Amino acid sequence: MRYIIIFLFIYHSISVYAQKVSISLFNDSNLKSAIFSIYSGEYKLFTGNDKSISIKKNDLVTVSDKSGRISVSVNSIPKGNFDRLDFRETDSTGCMKIKPVFPSLEPRRYKGEFKISLLGNKLLIVNVADIDEYIAGVVESEGGEKSAMEYYKTQAIICRTYALAHFDRHLNEGFQLCDGIHCQVYLGMSFFRPEIKEATKITSGLVIVDQDNKLVTAAFHSNCGGYTVNSEDVWSLPKPYLVSVCDSFCLKSPHAVWDKTITVRKWISYLRDNGFRNTETLKPCQLCFNQPRRKQYYSIGNDSVPLKKIRNDWELRSTFFSITNTDSTLVFKGRGYGHGAGLCQEGAMVMAEKGKSYVDIISFYYTNVKIIKH
Ligand SMILES: [Zn+2]
Ligand SMILES: [Zn+2]
């Protein structure tokens, strides 16, 4: 009973204070050292016990792991070693540029506050940001190609739904979401497309829920090739809102088709490794495969291999392919790019250009869902 009450309390707290989100930056890099510099606004660097170091606009603040503590220097002048650091803004206009030094990575700009500690012997940089700043940053990182406003609104609602559904994913590590593909890619604040910020603001708080008012798994991919897939064909688990739909919007988009050539010899060896029998007697034409609508398996006689496995093993763009042959080679003619479940980004862009609203687009790709204010 006590656990239920604690859970409800945490859930309630998250709902009420959902305006902020904490994200681990450069989470997939084993970060040892980084340089912080103020890009805009004003910041103070708190080092514990309410002590702070004042920093000015062009100061370079180097933060490094040093034998289990965090060393700080400002413009190469050492300021001491600390257990935790906290960059706090003095107003809400702050934006910080962070340049990882070890390993050396491209600098990124983020808004909000930054809490720095050591996790093992890597630097943990947690950005505490306004959720809509985060969403706009994710939309720009995940699908920021030039598009119509209704597409950006759609993508903002999807990214918000995904973030809120996974809010407790990293709580035991001291933050809510990471900035990698494990959660959602977040390469910085939205900087290049003001429409994205506007779309995020207009749709602020909106999320997609199923018939039981539960946040949906808002899956999306680049291009479905003409048919999206059922959830169970990708992740084993069926979801009533992730069911295959016929999509004619994406058929002329950049990732609509692909092809790849594999030698007959290599393909037969692959089939043998996957338990196919009598492979030495197979003729090239018997290796051909026709997939006008999405299938789950590639089969010859009673032997089969899941298309999902073929896609992974051969790093194909999708599982939606047919195979034709010449004497010594097989030509894989594929459609679409990505896992194929949920929203097809290139189809959604075309729908938006044709004047469909974000409600039309979301209801087209997710079956029987509702859009509500969280
Ligand atoms: Zn994550
Ligand atoms: Zn599509």
Side-chain angles (χ1 to χ4, degrees):
M1 188 62 192
R2 202 162 60 121
Y3 294 109
I4 295 170
I5 293 168
I6 291 168
F7 172 76
L8 286 175
F9 174 72
I10 293 170
Y11 182 77
H12 183 69
S13 309
I14 287 170
S15 307
V16 172
Y17 301 108
Q19 298 95 329
K20 295 279 177 195
V21 56
S22 57
I23 315 108
S24 167
L25 304 180
F26 304 99
N27 192 63
D28 298 333
S29 315
N30 197 10
L31 205 61
K32 304 276 187 203
S33 179
I35 298 173
F36 287 72
S37 55
I38 296 172
Y39 185 77
S40 66
E42 288 178 24
Y43 279 93
K44 263 189 175 176
L45 175 56
F46 286 81
T47 55
N49 299 328
D50 277 339
K51 291 205 174 86
S52 66
I53 299 171
S54 56
I55 43 174
K56 298 186 299 298
K57 182 130 190 233
N58 292 317
D59 287 347
L60 299 177
V61 183
T62 307
V63 169
S64 310
D65 163 36
K66 193 176 181 188
S67 317
R69 300 198 82 200
I70 308 165
S71 81
V72 176
S73 67
V74 178
N75 301 327
S76 303
I77 299 165
K79 296 289 178 182
N81 299 320
F82 309 95
D83 294 320
R84 300 182 70 83
L85 299 171
D86 203 350
F87 281 101
R88 287 184 217 157
E89 340 172 60
T90 50
D91 58 25
S92 59
T93 62
C95 175
M96 189 70 84
K97 182 170 155 188
I98 307 172
K99 163 74 183 120
V101 178
F102 194 87
S104 176
L105 301 169
E106 284 295 305
R108 301 185 198 163
R109 284 166 293 206
Y110 291 97
K111 295 201 79 172
E113 305 199 335
F114 305 87
K115 294 178 187 299
I116 303 161
S117 57
L118 285 171
L119 191 64
N121 52 8
K122 99 175 199 184
L123 276 181
L124 177 65
I125 303 176
V126 175
N127 176 211
V128 181
D130 182 275
I131 188 154
D132 281 341
E133 288 288 352
Y134 165 72
I135 299 295
V138 170
V139 172
E140 192 163 294
S141 307
E142 296 257 15
E145 297 94 343
K146 176 124 192 68
S147 194
M149 196 63 174
E150 292 302 305
Y151 171 73
Y152 291 136
K153 288 187 200 167
T154 305
Q155 196 72 53
I157 295 170
I158 286 174
C159 293
R160 185 179 299 106
T161 305
Y162 192 93
L164 292 174
H166 295 92
F167 241 29
D168 56 356
R169 221 176 197 188
H170 290 282
L171 278 187
N172 60 356
E173 293 163 82
F175 53 92
Q176 287 166 312
L177 299 163
C178 73
D179 67 343
I181 47 168
H182 174 258
C183 289
Q184 300 190 93
V185 177
Y186 175 49
L187 301 176
M189 60 183 277
S190 169
F191 202 74
F192 302 101
R193 298 211 180 281
E195 314 93 276
I196 293 181
K197 271 193 134 166
E198 202 189 329
T200 307
K201 206 169 144 196
I202 294 169
T203 60
S204 189
L206 294 182
V207 291
I208 310 168
V209 294
D210 63 13
Q211 291 297 308
D212 301 323
N213 289 323
K214 284 209 182 89
L215 293 165
V216 301
T217 302
F220 62 91
H221 58 277
S222 175
N223 186 309
C224 73
Y227 289 95
T228 67
V229 303
N230 296 314
S231 171
E232 62 268 32
D233 298 344
V234 190
W235 298 294
S236 315
L237 209 66
K239 302 264 183 200
Y241 47 84
L242 292 180
V243 293
S244 179
V245 297
C246 173
D247 175 9
S248 60
F249 294 104
C250 61
L251 298 179
K252 291 186 181 140
S253 298
H255 295 108
V257 291
W258 55 268
D259 58 61
K260 184 180 175 95
T261 303
I262 296 173
T263 62
V264 167
R265 194 177 49 80
K266 276 192 182 165
W267 186 247
I268 285 183
S269 149
Y270 175 74
L271 296 181
R272 195 182 308 123
D273 293 347
N274 281 278
F276 281 58
R277 289 158 290 184
N278 305 321
T279 45
E280 60 286 346
T281 62
L282 287 173
K283 301 208 165 48
C285 62
Q286 290 175 278
L287 304 171
C288 292
F289 177 58
N290 192 21
Q291 193 180 188
R293 284 201 63 162
R294 284 185 180 267
K295 295 179 179 174
Q296 282 176 267
Y297 295 93
Y298 170 88
S299 317
I300 298 175
N302 291 326
D303 298 320
S304 65
V305 59
L307 294 173
K308 199 164 64 171
K309 183 171 189 318
I310 296 175
R311 180 183 176 217
N312 282 341
D313 292 344
W314 293 88
E315 296 179 345
L316 305 179
R317 285 189 170 193
S318 69
T319 58
F320 198 9
F321 58 81
S322 296
I323 307 176
T324 54
N325 80 294
T326 63
D327 281 349
S328 58
T329 58
L330 298 172
V331 181
F332 286 59
K333 289 222 171 284
R335 298 163 66 182
Y337 194 175
H339 54 60
L343 179 126
C344 163
Q345 286 180 304
E346 291 187 340
M349 284 180 198
V350 173
M351 287 182 83
E353 280 154 24
K354 285 181 183 289
K356 303 282 185 194
S357 72
Y358 70 81
V359 178
D360 297 334
I361 299 171
I362 288 169
S363 341
F364 179 71
Y365 289 107
Y366 303 102
T367 305
N368 287 331
V369 294
K370 297 181 274 182
I371 300 166
I372 62 162
K373 196 103 178 164
H374 190 261

